[in-house]
Amino acid sequence: NLVNRIESVYDSVEREERRAHAFRLTGIACVVVTLGVILYFGQQYRNYTNQLAAHEVRLTQLVELADFPATDSYLEKLKKQSPDVLEHPPIAALISQHQSNETTEQQRLTKLKSGLTGFDDELSEVNSLSAVKALSTRINELESICQFENERNDIELRRNRLKESQAAIQEQIDEQFTKEFDALHDRYQQVDSSDVASLKSIR
């Protein structure tokens, strides 16, 4: 009877020991799994954060360069591959700035194009030095809008055409002046020195 009681107690102790051991193993396994999950998600978050930072740096460069085609292409790629990145506040702010820059650039181009068209129309009809002066002021204003070398080259071509028109108008004025002056000189030669009224008229 004593042996049975001892064996019963021993079995009970052994069961408790196995139960405690299993509990310890389960606890360790849970801790390991939890740490693994935390490390995994931590690594994923760090990768995501690094990707966001890389996208932000690249997009900042493109926006500062005002390279609109490259920026649009980059945003289109992000939209297809990582659409959630576009909602990241700093990147959303850069997108907003890019769109604002595009609108401003389009307005600038429209203003420059319409200004050059108007300048060309007026240049084809310019016929006085005062008109040349007005166009010279206009071309200087248009030049202040330019940002790129090809635009400045277009301005320079028109400025040269304006100078050519100015020279042609000045030549016509000089010819007319010479013609009228010679006619006046001929008239003076024919006037009698005692004809005071005619002399005053010539003067």
Side-chain angles (χ1 to χ4, degrees):
N1 188 31
L2 181 59
V3 169
N4 290 335
R5 289 174 58 193
I6 290 173
E7 287 181 351
S8 176
V9 171
Y10 179 79
D11 290 341
S12 177
V13 170
E14 193 176 35
R15 282 195 303 271
E16 289 298 324
E17 180 64 25
R18 284 198 299 269
R19 189 180 293 119
H21 183 66
F23 181 76
R24 285 194 297 270
L25 289 178
T26 302
I28 292 172
C30 289
V31 170
V32 170
V33 170
T34 303
L35 287 175
V37 170
I38 292 174
L39 289 174
Y40 172 77
F41 283 106
Q43 184 65 33
Q44 290 295 103
Y45 179 76
R46 186 167 62 181
N47 291 340
Y48 180 72
T49 303
N50 291 339
Q51 288 178 355
L52 279 179
H55 290 315
E56 185 178 344
V57 169
R58 179 58 181 155
L59 199 54
T60 299
Q61 292 173 343
L62 291 173
V63 170
E64 289 178 351
L65 289 173
D67 190 341
F68 301 114
T71 305
D72 288 334
S73 176
Y74 191 76
L75 289 175
E76 189 63 28
K77 184 178 72 174
L78 285 180
K79 186 177 181 180
K80 292 179 180 179
Q81 297 178 355
S82 306
D84 55 308
V85 170
L86 301 179
E87 299 176 3
H88 186 56
I91 291 181
L94 287 170
I95 293 174
S96 177
Q97 183 181 348
H98 165 64
Q99 292 171 342
S100 176
N101 291 347
E102 273 190 319
T103 301
T104 301
E105 176 64 8
Q106 189 58 47
Q107 292 173 346
R108 185 189 72 83
L109 290 175
T110 300
K111 183 177 181 181
L112 180 61
K113 184 178 180 181
S114 62
L116 291 176
T117 300
F119 177 88
D120 290 340
D121 292 341
E122 292 185 34
L123 181 59
S124 63
E125 299 177 359
V126 67
N127 55 10
S128 67
L129 292 180
S130 60
V132 168
K133 184 178 180 180
L135 284 179
S136 180
T137 301
R138 176 85 63 81
I139 200 67
N140 290 336
E141 293 173 352
L142 291 174
E143 186 177 24
S144 67
I145 302 176
C146 296
Q147 292 184 359
F148 303 104
E149 190 64 28
N150 63 311
E151 296 172 347
R152 294 188 181 91
N153 290 338
D154 289 341
I155 291 293
E156 193 60 29
L157 288 174
R158 286 170 170 80
R159 182 174 280 118
N160 290 336
R161 286 168 51 196
L162 181 61
K163 289 178 180 178
E164 292 173 359
S165 297
Q166 180 181 8
I169 293 171
Q170 186 63 57
E171 184 177 356
Q172 292 177 357
I173 292 174
D174 292 345
E175 289 178 355
Q176 183 65 25
F177 172 81
T178 301
K179 180 180 178 181
E180 293 179 0
F181 185 77
D182 289 344
L184 197 60
H185 179 266
D186 292 342
R187 182 182 166 194
Y188 170 74
Q189 293 290 342
Q190 297 170 4
V191 171
D192 188 273
S193 59
S194 60
D195 188 352
V196 178
S198 295
L199 290 174
K200 284 185 176 180
S201 173
I202 292 172
R203 183 181 180 185

